[in-house]
Amino acid sequence: TKPTNLLNNLRCPWLSNDLKTMNKTELHTNIRSALQCLTSSSPPSMIQQAQDALLKWEADHTDDYVVVLLQLMGVSSDEANSTASNETATLRLVAILSLKAAIVRKWKDRGRGKGVGGTPTSLLSEDAKILVRQLILSLVLTGRVALHDSNCGAITPFSSIDQFRYITPGQFEILRDHTLQMNAAALLAKIARMDLPLKFHELIPTLVESVKGAQFLMSQLNQQHLD
């Protein structure tokens, strides 16, 4: 006999008769709901179905799936309309862990060429890869994932007290999320190992500039303290 579908009984939103027909707004909502299910006290069968749905979206909507994960890993409590910062931190964590897994599977062809059932493996487009590189680096250095910022490719590390004064509460929250930052740094290193020296040329100069800016900022702060 076919098992009862617990997701339908509990009105979980990520099930669809045709996952390929979802628009981007529906995809964002469904991915977020499925990720939240993974960290909840849901029944094991529901968690398994959420995992299966995430893998299906990763396969069928590879670029859009990764973009949604980028959005969710940069969400703050204010943006999530949540009073519980730990809930938002958990969402960010499960988003970046899912992103890390997707990067391993979808960044480059490792010679297998075929996916499950012999179907061709869908990889991330070059445009999506550029976006991932820029936004992970921005998350680590500035606490921002400015996905809809027309200037999102221009990463400006903090280099003066004036810049530092205008950090938003959301940026502080993300910069102080040590678990998120540790995973983001690990993902950045993984992408660098896969791409350098042929791609991701801006990584090392940006990191060097960030270190210089941090040193200058500390000297300014120390001078203000002495004054």
Side-chain angles (χ1 to χ4, degrees), residues 18-24 27 31 53-68 122 124:
D18 187 359
L19 298 177
K20 293 185 178 182
T21 63
M22 287 188 300
N23 60 42
K24 292 183 180 181
L27 186 65
I31 289 173
L54 289 168
L55 289 173
K56 179 68 174 174
W57 294 322
E58 180 187 297
D60 292 345
H61 304 270
T62 306
D63 283 3
D64 290 336
Y65 174 77
V66 165
V67 168
V68 171
S122 58
L124 277 169

Side-chain angles (χ1 to χ4, degrees), residues 103 107 132-133 187-196 200:
I103 293 301
W107 198 261
V132 170
R133 296 185 194 107
L187 180 54
L188 200 60
K190 179 182 288 293
I191 292 172
R193 287 194 298 271
M194 291 189 290
D195 284 359
L196 288 172
F200 209 2

Side-chain angles (χ1 to χ4, degrees), residues 86-101:
N86 59 328
E87 292 179 4
T88 311
T90 300
L91 176 61
R92 289 195 297 263
L93 176 59
V94 71
I96 198 168
L97 292 177
S98 298
L99 179 63
K100 288 172 71 175

Side-chain angles (χ1 to χ4, degrees):
T1 60
K2 191 174 181 179
T4 301
N5 193 325
L6 293 176
L7 294 182
N8 282 335
N9 292 341
L10 295 178
R11 299 181 182 178
C12 292
W14 57 81
L15 279 186
S16 170
N17 292 329
D18 187 359
L19 298 177
K20 293 185 178 182
T21 63
M22 287 188 300
N23 60 42
K24 292 183 180 181
T25 301
E26 292 171 332
L27 186 65
H28 185 284
T29 300
N30 291 340
I31 289 173
R32 180 170 183 153
S33 297
L35 291 176
Q36 289 172 326
C37 175
L38 298 183
T39 61
S40 68
S41 55
S42 302
S45 56
M46 184 183 295
I47 293 175
Q48 182 61 56
Q49 290 181 63
Q51 291 173 332
D52 292 343
L54 289 168
L55 289 173
K56 179 68 174 174
W57 294 322
E58 180 187 297
D60 292 345
H61 304 270
T62 306
D63 283 3
D64 290 336
Y65 174 77
V66 165
V67 168
V68 171
L69 295 178
L70 287 168
Q71 290 175 315
L72 294 176
M73 75 178 192
V75 71
S76 65
S77 299
D78 290 341
E79 294 168 328
N81 295 320
S82 172
T83 56
S85 59
N86 59 328
E87 292 179 4
T88 311
T90 300
L91 176 61
R92 289 195 297 263
L93 176 59
V94 71
I96 198 168
L97 292 177
S98 298
L99 179 63
K100 288 172 71 175
I103 293 301
V104 169
R105 290 188 287 261
K106 299 295 184 178
W107 198 261
K108 61 191 302 185
D109 187 349
R110 298 181 179 276
R112 300 182 183 91
K114 300 290 184 180
V116 178
T119 57
T121 300
S122 58
L123 299 176
L124 277 169
S125 68
E126 286 303 316
D127 286 342
K129 289 179 182 179
I130 291 171
L131 191 64
V132 170
R133 296 185 194 107
Q134 290 174 342
L135 295 185
I136 295 292
L137 190 54
S138 180
L139 178 80
V140 170
L141 296 181
T142 69
R144 294 178 70 243
V145 179
L147 193 62
H148 299 296
D149 188 339
S150 60
N151 199 35
C152 69
I155 300 165
T156 307
F158 305 124
S159 59
S160 70
I161 291 178
D162 287 339
Q163 283 182 319
F164 197 69
R165 283 173 177 158
Y166 290 102
I167 297 178
T168 66
Q171 285 176 270
F172 263 125
E173 181 181 329
I174 290 172
L175 288 169
R176 295 176 63 186
D177 187 339
H178 301 302
T179 304
L180 175 72
Q181 290 294 336
M182 179 181 66
N183 279 281
L187 180 54
L188 200 60
K190 179 182 288 293
I191 292 172
R193 287 194 298 271
M194 291 189 290
D195 284 359
L196 288 172
L198 300 179
K199 298 178 181 179
F200 209 2
H201 304 131
E202 69 273 20
L203 174 62
I204 294 177
T206 303
L207 292 177
V208 170
E209 189 65 28
S210 178
V211 171
K212 290 180 179 178
Q215 291 173 336
F216 179 67
L217 175 61
M218 289 303 299
S219 67
Q220 285 185 310
L221 292 172
N222 289 334
Q223 185 62 44
Q224 276 199 353
H225 180 70
L226 291 174
D227 293 343

